[in-house]
RNA sequence: GCGAGGGUAGUUCAGUGGCAGAACGCGCGCCUGUGGAGCGCGAUGUCGCGGGUUCGAAUCCCGUCCCUCGCCCCA
C-alpha cells in the first residue's frame, strides 16, 4: 500500500518540532503576561458571514477553507482571529470591563500556494488592547513585541518594526488632492510599491487614476522620513515607545500602509533587516471593527505574528534554541525479563518521589541502553543488575560528568536528591 | 490561477545509454555490565508513478502525480 500523502501545506510536528512550538508558546505567554494580558481563544470554526462582514474580498473568497455543514450552513476554518475577537467582545457588550488586554496562540488556515514562510496551516500569536484609543495603547503593543524579541535574542540589528499612521497618510494625501474613492486605491498602490518595478508601478498609479503631479507628490511623500513630526499622534506614540523601552526597534516608514481595510490609525510590521523573509508580524489600530459585527463601536489595537517566519528568522540568526526533546530525568537500565523486576520497582519508587523516570523496556545489551540515554540527553542512569541486587546496592551514573557511584539501595532517594554523586 | 526548478538509501545529494553510488545517520565489532571520540565491518533502494524508444533506461521521449521556489495575497 502506497504511503498516504499528508494534506498539502500542513506540517508534521515531530517531537523536536513540538518542542519548538511549545517553547514559542511559552515565550509568547511570558511576554504577554508581563504586560497583564489575559489568554483567550475563539473557535476554530466560524460562520463564513463573520469574515464576509469585514476582511473582505481576497481573504474570504480565495483563501478560506469553506464547507457546508450538515445543516447547510457555510462554515469557515478561521483564517484569522480578529473577527472572532470582535464578535466575542460584541456579544458580551457592556458586561465587559474595559480596557481588555487579551492574547491568544493557536492554529489558522489559509488556502494558498505553499512557499517560503507560508503554509496552509499555521500558528499565530494574536494580541489586542481593546477599549482605548490613545497612542500609548498602540505603543504598548509594540513594547510587548519588543519584549518577546529581546527575550529570545532577536536584537534591533536583526529585525526592525516599521511604523506609519493611516490618519497621517490621509492628511498628506489630501494635500496633493487625493481623497474620497481614490484614497483606498492609493493605499493599495503604496502597499504594492516594493513588489513592482518603478516603471510598472508608475503606470499602475496613473491607470489607477492619479494625475502626473499627484504621482510626483506621492513619490515625494514616500521619501519624507520626517513627516511623523507633523503628527501629534505619532509624536506621542514615539515618546511612549521610548518610555516603554521599545524605541530601539522602531522606524518611521511612510511606505507601510498594510493591505487590510479595517485599519484606521497606527499601522506597522516587523521585518528582518536582511530582507530575506516576509513580515514577521503585522498589526495596527482598528477603531470600528466591533460595530461591524453588530456591537457598539469600541476602539482596538493589536497585531498578529505567525510561527513560520519567526522560526526562519531565528534560524537565520543562529539563535533558534537547542531544545531537549525527552522530559526524562532518570533512566533505569534493565537486565531481566519479567514484570516484577527491580528496575520497574525502582522506577515506580522514584516516580512517586516526583521524578520523571523511564525504564528501558527490554533487557538488551547495556551499551544500547546507555546509548539510548545519551541520544535522549537523559542526565542520570541507574544500573540495577545481578551484582547490585545481590549486594542490595544501586549504581548511579551521571551522564554529563561520566561519574558513577554505587551505594546502598536504601540511600537511593537521598542520593538522587543530592544529584551530584560523590 | 500563472511561471521556474526538482523527485535516486532514513537524510542531504552525486550519477546523462552498459553491475545502483558517496557522505551523514543506523546496526555490529574493537569494549563478556557502560554512552559521547576513533578505527574496522555491515544493511540499506518499487531510481515518484504509468507507458514508449532501445540488445540494454535512473539516464532519451510522452503522459501523470507530488515537492520546492516565485507571482497574487498575507502572519
Amino acid at each position: 500500500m502506497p504511503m498516504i500523502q499528508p494534506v498539502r501545506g500542513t506540517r508534521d510536528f515531530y517531537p523536536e518540532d513540538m518542542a519548538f512550538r511549545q517553547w514559542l508558546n511559552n515565550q509568547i505567554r511570558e511576554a504577554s503576561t508581563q504586560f497583564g494580558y489575559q489568554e483567550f481563544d475563539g473557535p476554530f470554526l466560524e460562520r463564513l458571514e463573520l469574515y464576509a462582514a469585514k476582511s473582505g474580498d481576497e481573504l474570504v473568497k480565495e483563501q478560506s477553507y469553506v464547507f457546508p455543514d450538515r445543516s447547510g450552513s457555510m462554515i469557515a476554518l478561521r483564517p484569522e482571529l480578529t473577527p472572532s475577537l470582535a464578535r466575542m467582545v460584541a456579544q458580551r457588550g457592556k458586561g465587559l470591563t474595559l480596557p481588555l488586554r487579551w492574547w491568544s496562540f493557536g492554529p489558522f488556515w489559509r488556502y494558498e500556494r505553499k512557499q517560503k514562510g507560508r503554509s496552509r496551516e499555521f500558528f499565530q500569536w494574536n494580541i489586542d488592547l481593546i477599549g482605548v484609543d490613545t497612542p500609548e495603547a498602540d505603543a504598548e503593543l509594540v513594547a510587548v513585541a519588543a519584549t518577546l524579541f529581546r527575550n529570545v535574542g532577536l536584537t534591533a540589528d536583526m529585525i526592525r518594526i516599521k511604523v506609519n499612521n493611516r490618519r497621517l497618510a490621509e492628511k498628506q494625501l489630501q494635500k496633493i488632492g487625493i481623497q474620497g474613492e481614490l484614497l483606498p486605491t492609493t493605499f493599495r498602490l503604496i502597499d504594492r510599491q516594493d513588489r513592482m518595478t518603478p516603471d510598472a508601478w508608475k503606470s499602475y498609479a496613473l491607470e489607477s487614476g492619479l494625475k502626473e503631479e499627484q504621482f510626483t507628490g506621492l513619490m515625494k511623500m514616500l521619501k519624507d522620513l520626517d513627516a511623523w513630526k507633523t503628527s501629534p499622534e505619532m509624536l506621542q506614540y514615539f515618546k511612549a515607545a521610548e518610555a516603554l523601552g521599545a524605541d530601539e526597534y522602531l522606524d518611521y516608514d511612510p511606505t507601510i500602509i498594510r493591505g487590510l481595510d479595517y485599519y484606521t490609525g497606527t499601522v506597522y510590521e516587523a521585518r528582518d533587516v536582511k530582507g530575506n523573509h516576509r513580515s514577521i508580524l503585522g498589526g495596527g489600530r482598528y477603531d470600528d471593527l466591533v460595530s461591524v459585527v453588530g456591537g457598539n463601536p469600541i476602539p482596538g489595537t493589536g497585531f498578529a505574528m505567525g510561527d513560520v517566519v519567526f522560526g526562519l528568522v531565528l534560524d537565520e540568526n543562529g539563535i533558534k534554541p537547542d531544545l531537549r526533546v525527552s522530559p526524562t530525568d532518570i533512566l533505569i537500565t534493565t537486565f531481566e525479563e519479567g514484570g516484577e523486576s527491580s528496575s520497574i520497582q525502582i522506577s515506580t519508587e522514584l516516580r512517586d518521589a516526583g521524578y520523571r523516570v523511564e525504564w528501558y523496556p527490554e533487557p538488551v545489551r547495556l551499551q544500547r541502553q546507555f546509548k539510548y540515554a545519551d541520544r535522549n540527553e537523559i542526565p542520570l542512569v541507574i544500573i540495577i543488575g545481578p551484582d547490585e541486587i545481590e549486594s542490595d546496592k544501586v549504581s548511579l551514573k551521571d551522564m554529563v560528568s561520566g561519574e558513577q557511584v554505587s551505594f546502598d539501595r536504601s540511600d537511593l532517594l537521598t542520593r538522587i536528591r543530592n544529584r551530584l554523586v560523590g
Side-chain angles (χ1 to χ4, degrees):
Chain A
M1 170 149 168
M3 198 149 11
I4 291 173
Q5 297 280 341
V7 173
R8 188 200 300 255
T10 60
R11 289 169 293 165
D12 294 328
F13 288 86
Y14 287 91
E16 59 271 26
D17 308 306
M18 202 59 212
F20 175 73
R21 185 169 118 192
Q22 203 53 51
W23 171 86
L24 179 59
N25 194 341
N26 292 340
Q27 294 294 331
I28 284 168
R29 166 171 283 107
E30 186 58 34
S32 305
T33 54
Q34 265 187 52
F35 285 78
Y37 285 72
Q38 302 170 3
E39 188 173 12
F40 83 105
D41 206 350
F44 297 177
L45 302 177
E46 287 276 15
R47 290 179 181 283
L48 183 60
E49 306 98 85
L50 178 69
Y51 304 104
K54 51 118 290 198
S55 319
D57 45 339
E58 179 98 14
L59 192 55
V60 181
K61 290 193 190 112
E62 311 287 343
Q63 297 197 340
S64 291
Y65 278 86
V66 179
F67 59 92
D69 69 8
R70 287 174 190 275
S71 78
S73 306
M74 291 308 286
I75 304 296
L77 278 171
R78 63 179 188 184
E80 59 165 336
L81 187 62
T82 311
S84 300
L85 168 63
R87 183 179 56 69
M88 288 167 69
V89 170
Q91 250 167 228
R92 285 230 172 148
K94 294 207 164 73
L96 289 165
T97 307
L98 300 179
L100 257 33
R101 284 186 166 95
W102 285 6
W103 72 276
S104 182
F105 181 73
F108 295 86
W109 295 266
R110 287 185 195 174
Y111 194 86
E112 64 185 327
R113 197 79 193 174
K114 199 196 174 306
Q115 51 191 300
K116 198 177 181 188
R118 289 291 177 267
S119 56
R120 289 182 169 183
E121 182 179 60
F122 57 97
F123 282 77
Q124 201 177 66
W125 173 32
N126 282 267
I127 179 162
D128 292 272
L129 206 178
I130 290 158
V132 192
D133 66 356
T134 61
E136 287 79 2
D138 291 305
E140 174 174 301
L141 266 300
V142 151
V144 180
T147 298
L148 175 80
F149 294 160
R150 260 196 297 270
N151 287 350
V152 303
L154 279 172
T155 58
D157 59 342
M158 296 173 186
I159 59 176
R160 310 293 309 169
I161 303 172
K162 295 155 177 291
V163 194
N164 193 10
N165 186 298
R166 280 199 169 188
R167 274 188 284 265
L168 168 62
E170 273 176 41
K171 215 176 201 174
Q172 288 175 286
L173 289 171
Q174 225 159 36
K175 277 189 203 151
I176 55 175
I178 295 172
Q179 51 194 323
E181 291 204 353
L182 206 49
L183 203 57
T185 313
T186 309
F187 278 166
R188 203 159 306 125
L189 184 65
I190 295 171
D191 194 45
R192 284 187 192 165
Q193 185 188 22
D194 60 345
R195 297 197 289 263
M196 300 174 81
T197 65
D199 286 345
W201 189 64
K202 182 174 181 181
S203 29
Y204 175 49
L206 298 179
E207 278 164 33
S208 304
L210 264 70
K211 298 194 187 88
E212 186 76 35
E213 64 267 25
Q214 287 176 325
F215 179 76
T216 317
L218 178 63
M219 291 286 283
K220 202 176 150 203
M221 169 189 150
L222 294 180
K223 284 183 189 135
D224 181 4
L225 297 178
D226 290 323
W228 63 278
K229 293 175 182 163
T230 68
S231 159
E233 191 180 342
M234 287 217 86
L235 283 164
Q236 212 174 325
Y237 172 83
F238 278 109
K239 214 186 228 172
E242 198 182 336
L244 285 157
D247 58 312
E248 57 167 329
Y249 286 96
L250 280 182
D251 290 324
Y252 167 68
D253 186 336
T255 68
I256 297 295
I257 213 71
R258 303 204 43 80
L260 290 167
D261 295 335
Y262 54 76
Y263 290 120
T264 53
T266 307
V267 284
Y268 50 94
E269 57 187 58
R271 306 294 293 248
D272 67 300
V273 166
K274 289 179 196 152
N276 293 339
H277 302 282
R278 291 154 202 285
S279 68
I280 297 161
L281 65 81
R285 167 161 295 283
Y286 46 89
D287 280 346
D288 34 29
L289 186 61
V290 175
S291 66
V292 172
V293 295
N296 295 319
I298 304 176
T301 182
F303 65 81
M305 183 186 90
D307 67 321
V308 184
V309 175
F310 192 77
L312 290 172
V313 173
L314 287 182
D315 225 351
E316 183 166 279
N317 286 288
I319 55 172
K320 197 161 186 184
D322 190 16
L323 300 164
R324 198 160 87 85
V325 169
S326 167
T328 304
D329 301 317
I330 307 162
L331 175 77
I332 319 289
T333 57
T334 295
F335 285 76
E336 41 180 334
E337 308 255 12
E340 70 286 353
S341 78
S342 312
S343 301
I344 298 184
Q345 284 172 21
I346 285 191
S347 74
T348 305
E349 201 177 309
L350 287 168
R351 235 171 258 127
D352 288 345
Y355 297 100
R356 294 165 171 167
V357 185
E358 62 181 304
W359 63 284
Y360 205 90
E362 52 180 345
V364 296
R365 304 180 326 122
L366 253 200
Q367 195 179 29
R368 286 259 311 262
Q369 305 192 33
F370 271 93
K371 196 167 214 166
Y372 175 83
D374 184 49
R375 293 292 142 83
N376 286 290
E377 297 177 76
I378 298 171
L380 292 173
V381 173
I382 283 176
I383 303 101
I384 174 93
D387 296 352
E388 283 81 4
I389 289 169
E390 193 181 344
S391 55
D392 200 28
K393 284 183 175 281
V394 170
S395 296
L396 174 67
K397 180 162 181 173
D398 182 316
M399 294 297 283
V400 180
S401 67
E403 282 176 282
Q404 183 173 324
V405 284
S406 186
F407 45 77
D408 288 346
R409 179 166 170 168
S410 53
D411 289 343
L412 181 63
L413 288 179
T414 340
R415 300 301 286 246
I416 292 281
R417 203 174 307 128
N418 294 341
R419 272 287 166 107
L420 276 193
V421 288

